[in-house]
Amino acid sequence: MVDTVMELAASVRSGARAPVEVIESALARIATMDVALHAFCAVDADGALAQARALEQRLAAGEDVGPLAGVPIGVKDLEDAAGFVTVCGDPARVGDAPAPHDSIEVARLRAAGAVVIGKTNTPAYGFHAETDNLVFGPSRNPWALSRSCGGSSGGSGAAVAAGIVPLCTGSDGGGSIRIPSAACGIAGFKPTHGVVPSGDATLPTWGPLSTRGPMARTFAEIAYALDVVKGLSARDIMSFELAGSFAAAAARPSLQGVRVIWSPTLGHATPDASVLTLCEAALGALERAGAEVIETVDAVFEAQPVLAWLGRAAPGSWRTATTNPMPWEGRFLDVAQLTASFGEHTTVAQMLDGEAGAHAATLRLAELWDRADVIVTPGMATVPPRVGERSPYGPGWAADYTLAFNL
């Protein structure tokens, strides 16, 4: 059984395990397991061991090295980690200089004692839900190597699910934390926008649609890491302080009196019958744990949300994709070009329609929150597609259940 994030950090703080030993073990797992998975697109063994040795010196001096002491982490390759090139799955960025600074999230993880061991793979700029690109190739699902691990935080999801590292960073603009988490069989949580600050040197491609957060096997571990990275930053005007503790909430998992609305399709998805069977069994488990399923609501949203989402996401995608003058051919897989291409001719009216669609979705959810505490839906419509193939469901195999909630 692999240690949890909390157990691993506690063993380092107590002296039961040495940071160098922990990092050497993670590097050995990468060397043996990641040949097949390809979850990581860059690894800095020397740098990780240097971080571990520095932790050992601080421990020997009696210092408090933090709640994530010695925990090896992967950083999604859309986010800066000092010393690594932020390639974003784009051949045009392979020759960029290494990032001089960590992102706010990564800096907070390091300050808490975590050790950055490498970067995890992503589709180009997170533009689609299968983790594949023309620089590093595809990442694979640890449960079925022939299938996608989802995306866009697919490298992180695969690395955590396989037990290579217990913690990674992810980001979610249309499902990019939740989709690979569902595909790889781990917990997945998209924090409310602003809980985890952004504030990088470059403008966020999708603005307030996208948010960052840690990825781990269980919500208790995610909550523990969220307590480290949450909170206001002057570099992100959308960030805010959040009272209380995610970890404390996760330690009180009572469902007594929780009111649940069940939505099998949200009004626009077409799930496999087997998916619904599994979800209905999960609903039964929730009820046995004390929750009350008060009603079924098929049409949560009055309109298919993809056009509203594109009105907000596509212009930023086009700007990101065209900042570098290198031609698109040889830079992007066909599926990665779809959102950006839509942005080339997006009008101001369509952008405002996107804002209106987001507002309408918010009002609809507010109406449901008046009646219930939780809305339960499937995570995906069907199993992930085979690597290199399109799902017969199209992009909806993944995003049909996630994209609307980014609005």
Side-chain angles (χ1 to χ4, degrees), residues 8-59:
L8 183 58
S11 71
V12 169
R13 286 195 303 271
S14 71
R17 296 189 69 180
V20 168
E21 172 202 343
V22 172
I23 299 308
E24 286 178 339
S25 179
L27 290 170
R29 288 192 295 274
I30 291 175
T32 57
M33 300 169 66
D34 204 45
V35 175
L37 287 178
H38 204 189
F40 283 85
C41 57
V43 174
D44 180 7
D46 291 340
L49 290 168
Q51 294 170 72
R53 286 190 288 270
L55 280 175
E56 290 189 355
Q57 291 173 359
R58 293 177 59 198
L59 283 164

Side-chain angles (χ1 to χ4, degrees), residues 106-350:
V106 173
R108 290 177 177 181
L109 291 167
R110 279 202 218 251
V115 174
V116 176
I117 205 165
K119 301 295 289 288
T120 57
N121 201 22
T122 176
Y125 298 105
F127 282 170
H128 59 107
E130 291 88 41
T131 297
D132 193 1
N133 60 64
L134 293 175
V135 185
F136 304 114
S139 299
R140 295 177 179 271
N141 196 307
W143 296 97
L145 292 174
S146 64
R147 292 194 178 271
S148 170
C149 55
S152 65
S153 308
S156 290
V160 167
I164 295 176
V165 291
L167 186 66
C168 285
T169 70
S171 57
D172 190 314
S176 288
I177 286 174
R178 292 160 291 156
I179 291 166
S181 297
C184 295
I186 61 175
F189 183 70
K190 181 192 78 66
T192 296
H193 187 76
V195 169
V196 181
S198 181
D200 296 337
T202 55
L203 182 73
T205 300
W206 290 348
L209 286 180
S210 188
T211 190
R212 288 175 175 164
M215 296 176 67
R217 284 161 296 182
T218 65
F219 181 71
E221 294 170 272
I222 294 169
Y224 187 77
L226 272 170
D227 281 347
V228 168
V229 299
K230 71 181 176 72
L232 181 71
S233 168
R235 294 179 60 184
D236 183 355
I237 63 171
M238 299 292 287
S239 67
F240 56 90
E241 291 293 349
L242 187 65
S245 161
F246 282 101
R252 303 190 303 271
S254 173
L255 294 178
Q256 291 297 325
V258 171
R259 301 162 300 163
V260 173
I261 284 175
W262 160 235
S263 182
T265 72
L266 295 181
H268 56 261
T270 53
D272 284 345
S274 58
V275 167
L276 293 182
T277 298
L278 289 167
C279 290
E280 286 160 2
L283 280 176
L286 291 176
E287 289 181 306
R288 289 190 295 275
E292 178 187 3
V293 180
I294 60 172
E295 61 181 300
T296 297
V297 176
D298 191 54
V300 168
F301 300 105
E302 295 178 357
Q304 162 63 268
V306 68
L307 288 179
W309 184 87
L310 280 170
R312 304 182 95 200
S317 301
W318 173 253
R319 181 182 185 276
T320 296
T322 56
T323 296
N324 189 290
M326 182 183 289
W328 281 25
E329 185 178 354
R331 284 179 65 197
F332 299 117
L333 297 167
D334 289 346
V335 67
Q337 297 181 29
L338 296 177
T339 300
S341 297
F342 189 89
E344 181 180 8
H345 302 293
T346 301
T347 65
V348 172
Q350 287 172 318

Side-chain angles (χ1 to χ4, degrees), residues 356-375:
H359 184 61
T362 299
L363 294 181
R364 173 59 173 155
L365 287 176
E367 176 190 334
L368 296 179
W369 296 140
D370 285 340
R371 307 204 298 266
D373 305 297
V374 175
I375 300 170

